[in-house]
Amino acid sequence: MPFLSIILSALIWYPSADWAEKPDPCASLRARRGGVLRLNGAQPPKSFNAYIDNNSYTAMLFDLMYDKLLGIDSQTGELVPALASRWAVSEDGREFVFEIDERAKWSDGVKVTAEDVKWTFDAVMDPQSDTGPWKPTLSFFESPEVIDSKTVRFRKKGKSGRDWRDILNCSTFWILPKHAFSSSNFNKLDLERAVSGSAYFISRADEQIETELTRHNKWWRQDLPSCRGTCNFDKIVLRYFADNENAFEAFKKRKIDVYPVYTARIYAEGTHTDDFARNLMLKRKIKNHAPIGFQGFAMNMRRPPFDKLEVRQAMAKLVDRETMNRTMMNGAYFLLSSYWQDLYDAKHPCTNTVWKYDVAGAKELLKKAGYEKGFSFTFLSRGSTEDKFLSLFSHALSECGIKMDIVRKDFAAWMRDMDEFNFDMTWASWGAGMVKYPELSWSGKEAGRKGSNNITGFCDAEVDRLIEKEKTMTTAAERNEAYRAIDARIASKVPYILLWQTDCTRILYWNKFSMPDYVFSRLGREGDSLTYWWYDADKAEELFNAIRSHSCLPNVSEVVDFDAVRAKAEKGDLK
């Protein structure tokens, strides 16, 4: 051990000795703890274990329940301490050492140890665990070595090369309590009232209806500077609905408090009511620097007819995106031409092919592919909100002799089919993070991994080469160039019929909450309402009185521009 101590002391440790924890600039010192927030939770999860359920809402819950070794600064994107108080990287970039904060405890008072880190890693990597999307990023490492109760070391496997994301991969996965879960089946963890490591635990779970989280006041980080003004609600309730329309009706009836808007018509037309006119309910449009994801009709390239490029190109010509956006979504979206739209600007314009609606052109491509008489396929649907789009698409398909059978399943069943790649075509939507992981969605080796993000079965040697090359790049500018090259190559193969996206987050809520002037953080979306907002008893009383007396509440600015608010803050113009 003395020899090992000498080795560890020789490493370069982070953060620097003069680093000091700072308050989260997006949190408010005015925040108060208490109250309940009820949020639309979309479809019920197939599991509360976010390692099993690859779903953004499940991840949002897990973030409230479990911490990671390191966090990411909401402003700068830099790594900062979380469960680990400090960390080190070897000179050759193949070893990573983390020291668990001495103060770190689970909600039951048991100390967090290096054994928890090792157990979580091993459980996720166990071949019997249905953790497909997580295995690729962790598979570069040997099972972590427990040096002592508070120190854990990760080593890269074999001769795998340096990857600039290595430190992220081994430090930003959720750590779970070994003593609470080691005797359980990882695929079927019972998380209701389970030991947690962050601010909340699941206090109640009504299957298919709602999930309640309760703040337990034993979170060891809750009074640290970086966490003040965050996780303010006593309870958070996620209610599940079959579709957006049902959720919106529940919102209007005050069964939920906050409603993220994913349907342009609801935001544009559904808010022309007396409650909105009197500011009892508020509509906000938040423009910040949140990464832009993509959505589209995913085609299974593993089997006919979508194994042929000409067929996929023809299908892209049969989706009238312009008409859909104009007539069905109030023209509220921009049409996608990239899988990473945020890579492009005036200096770096996107040159990917933009597929225009063209039935004649589609017929020519189908003839070239040997399908001039058409074919039949199934579209795996997960909700009635898709119907109006699929109706217009189906009409265009019929002109080419193509028959589309729509098979509708609930979200859990849809996810099972996605895990098994059991579909011809489906509507898939993917979020985006600060860090790009092209390997997860586009690497050939992920095309056959059960539960992977590469649902289309995309496999291309040039993309694989670029992915490996990108791992060694040291600057963001170099990597962005590589991403643009990868993007162009993917787009040319048309694995998805790209649809549309928005550059802001739209949200509706009952006027009984207060929030920071930014509303969301620099990179945040609706999940930030759970982190930064708080229940305002005075506003709640004013809302109740306004409802009873049929009076109005003060106006609130609809559009919030993060950069404009920050500029005011820097000038000292904010109240």
Side-chain angles (χ1 to χ4, degrees):
M1 186 60 70
F3 178 67
L4 185 56
S5 297
I6 293 173
I7 294 175
L8 294 179
S9 65
L11 296 173
I12 299 175
W13 288 86
Y14 302 90
S16 60
D18 61 351
W19 180 85
E21 187 170 10
K22 299 177 182 178
D24 186 331
C26 293
S28 174
L29 295 177
R30 296 179 288 117
R32 296 292 180 267
R33 292 175 181 166
V36 179
L37 182 145
R38 297 176 178 85
L39 177 70
N40 168 28
Q43 300 281 357
K46 68 177 183 180
S47 169
F48 290 128
N49 184 349
Y51 286 117
I52 303 300
D53 186 18
N54 188 28
N55 177 287
S56 59
Y57 273 89
T58 308
M60 183 173 68
L61 288 185
F62 235 48
D63 271 334
L64 296 170
M65 295 163 60
Y66 298 103
D67 279 334
K68 302 169 183 178
L69 287 170
L70 301 181
I72 298 178
D73 188 284
S74 64
Q75 289 284 87
T76 66
E78 297 292 326
L79 289 169
V80 293
L83 273 179
S85 57
R86 65 174 191 153
W87 67 97
V89 182
S90 64
E91 187 175 348
D92 63 1
R94 298 186 60 78
E95 294 189 13
F96 307 85
V97 180
F98 301 91
E99 285 192 358
I100 307 297
D101 196 303
E102 288 287 344
R103 300 166 293 183
K105 294 181 179 180
W106 300 107
S107 60
D108 60 359
V110 175
K111 288 264 191 178
V112 179
T113 70
E115 288 286 353
D116 294 311
V117 179
K118 177 177 174 56
W119 178 83
T120 303
F121 180 99
D122 291 344
V124 172
M125 294 305 295
D126 188 324
Q128 299 301 313
S129 296
D130 298 332
T131 53
W134 287 89
K135 284 184 166 73
T137 56
L138 297 181
S139 65
F140 298 109
F141 304 96
E142 302 286 354
S143 177
E145 175 191 1
V146 174
I147 295 175
D148 59 38
S149 65
K150 292 295 182 183
T151 312
V152 62
R153 174 162 56 185
F154 289 78
R155 287 193 181 98
K156 291 204 70 176
K157 284 182 180 176
K159 297 182 179 179
S160 57
R162 182 191 291 262
D163 186 334
W164 67 275
R165 282 170 296 245
D166 284 335
I167 182 63
L168 292 168
N169 292 338
C170 66
S171 68
T172 56
F173 63 100
W174 297 286
I175 306 303
L176 306 183
K178 176 183 177 180
H179 70 282
F181 295 142
S182 60
S183 61
S184 303
N185 182 336
F186 194 76
N187 293 327
K188 299 179 180 180
L189 293 183
D190 182 3
L191 290 167
E192 186 173 357
R193 309 198 74 84
V195 174
S196 71
S198 192
Y200 291 89
F201 69 96
I202 296 177
S203 50
R204 178 171 51 82
D206 296 334
E207 189 174 0
Q208 304 293 312
I209 299 174
E210 66 181 27
T211 303
E212 177 190 81
L213 284 83
T214 297
R215 183 162 46 78
H216 54 61
N217 291 318
K218 296 178 183 178
W219 183 32
W220 66 276
R221 295 180 64 203
Q222 65 184 356
D223 293 321
L224 298 182
S226 62
C227 298
R228 289 175 190 157
T230 69
C231 299
N232 303 304
F233 295 103
D234 283 343
K235 293 183 183 294
I236 293 171
V237 178
L238 266 69
R239 297 207 67 182
Y240 305 115
F241 298 91
D243 56 45
N244 287 333
E245 298 289 344
N246 290 345
F248 184 54
E249 290 303 313
F251 169 72
K252 290 190 293 184
K253 296 174 182 177
R254 285 190 281 170
K255 293 182 179 179
I256 54 177
D257 304 312
V258 179
Y259 177 79
V261 181
Y262 306 120
T263 304
R265 179 190 54 77
I266 288 177
Y267 191 86
E269 302 173 8
T271 55
H272 294 164
T273 68
D274 182 61
D275 285 338
F276 280 102
R278 293 162 52 204
N279 296 315
L280 308 182
M281 296 189 290
L282 298 174
K283 56 187 292 189
R284 311 294 294 275
K285 187 181 294 185
I286 318 303
K287 294 186 176 182
N288 57 9
H289 296 270
I292 298 173
F294 74 90
Q295 61 178 324
F297 294 165
M299 293 173 279
N300 195 339
M301 301 164 64
R302 302 173 184 84
R303 58 197 192 192
F306 301 125
D307 57 338
K308 289 196 173 185
L309 174 61
E310 292 86 359
V311 172
R312 300 194 300 273
Q313 291 173 330
M315 300 302 274
K317 285 179 174 286
L318 293 174
V319 177
D320 191 352
R321 300 188 302 166
E322 290 86 353
T323 296
M324 291 177 181
N325 186 37
R326 185 181 68 254
T327 63
M328 301 177 188
M329 298 179 296
N330 299 89
Y333 297 87
F334 65 86
L335 303 183
L336 289 167
S337 58
S338 164
Y339 295 88
W340 292 305
Q341 203 72 47
D342 54 329
L343 287 172
Y344 301 97
D345 54 28
K347 292 183 179 179
H348 305 94
C350 184
T351 58
N352 296 344
T353 299
V354 177
W355 298 98
K356 298 285 187 178
Y357 182 62
D358 179 8
V359 175
K363 289 180 178 179
E364 286 297 317
L365 286 166
L366 291 170
K367 182 178 180 181
K368 184 178 179 181
Y371 286 100
E372 64 269 25
K373 294 184 179 180
F375 56 85
S376 298
F377 73 96
T378 59
F379 190 103
L380 183 60
S381 171
R382 53 178 168 165
S384 60
T385 54
E386 300 173 359
D387 288 353
K388 60 183 179 182
F389 304 102
L390 295 181
S391 177
L392 187 60
F393 183 36
S394 182
H395 178 75
L397 292 171
S398 66
E399 293 190 49
C400 297
I402 300 173
K403 185 176 185 299
M404 176 175 65
D405 293 317
I406 299 173
V407 176
R408 181 165 295 148
K409 296 189 177 183
D410 63 27
F411 184 73
W414 180 85
M415 281 293 294
R416 286 194 293 270
D417 280 343
M418 290 297 98
D419 287 346
E420 300 288 346
F421 311 127
N422 182 30
F423 73 101
D424 290 331
M425 182 184 290
T426 192
W427 191 328
S429 179
W430 298 96
M434 292 182 289
V435 180
K436 292 177 172 55
Y437 283 89
E439 186 166 12
L440 300 185
S441 296
W442 306 113
S443 168
K445 65 184 179 182
E446 286 299 297
R449 188 197 293 271
K450 177 184 175 181
S452 88
N453 290 348
N454 189 351
I455 61 173
T456 63
F458 183 90
C459 187
D460 182 82
E462 176 62 12
V463 167
D464 287 344
R465 185 190 70 80
L466 288 168
I467 286 173
E468 291 304 312
K469 185 177 180 181
E470 177 267 346
K471 293 177 181 179
T472 65
M473 294 176 176
T474 57
T475 69
E478 285 182 300
R479 293 193 291 268
N480 286 340
E481 280 299 316
Y483 297 144
R484 284 188 279 268
I486 293 171
D487 183 54
R489 185 75 177 177
I490 295 170
S492 71
K493 301 295 183 180
V494 201
Y496 286 76
I497 305 169
L498 288 173
L499 296 175
W500 42 74
Q501 194 52 276
T502 178
D503 62 354
C504 64
T505 300
R506 298 163 302 192
I507 196 160
L508 313 177
Y509 60 93
W510 283 92
N511 193 0
K512 59 180 178 178
F513 302 106
S514 285
M515 59 204 64
D517 297 299
Y518 296 104
V519 181
F520 299 152
S521 64
R522 179 175 177 271
L523 301 166
R525 294 194 182 278
E526 61 268 20
D528 275 5
S529 63
L530 310 182
T531 303
Y532 295 112
W533 294 17
W534 65 95
Y535 175 79
D536 190 319
D538 291 336
K539 284 190 174 182
E541 184 176 359
E542 291 170 0
L543 173 62
F544 175 77
N545 291 334
I547 292 172
R548 186 176 57 182
S549 63
H550 301 284
S551 58
C552 298
L553 294 175
N555 289 326
V556 175
S557 175
E558 178 181 348
V559 178
V560 178
D561 186 299
F562 183 92
D563 289 339
V565 175
R566 182 168 59 181
K568 285 185 177 181
E570 290 172 351
K571 291 180 180 179
D573 291 342
L574 289 180
K575 296 180 180 179

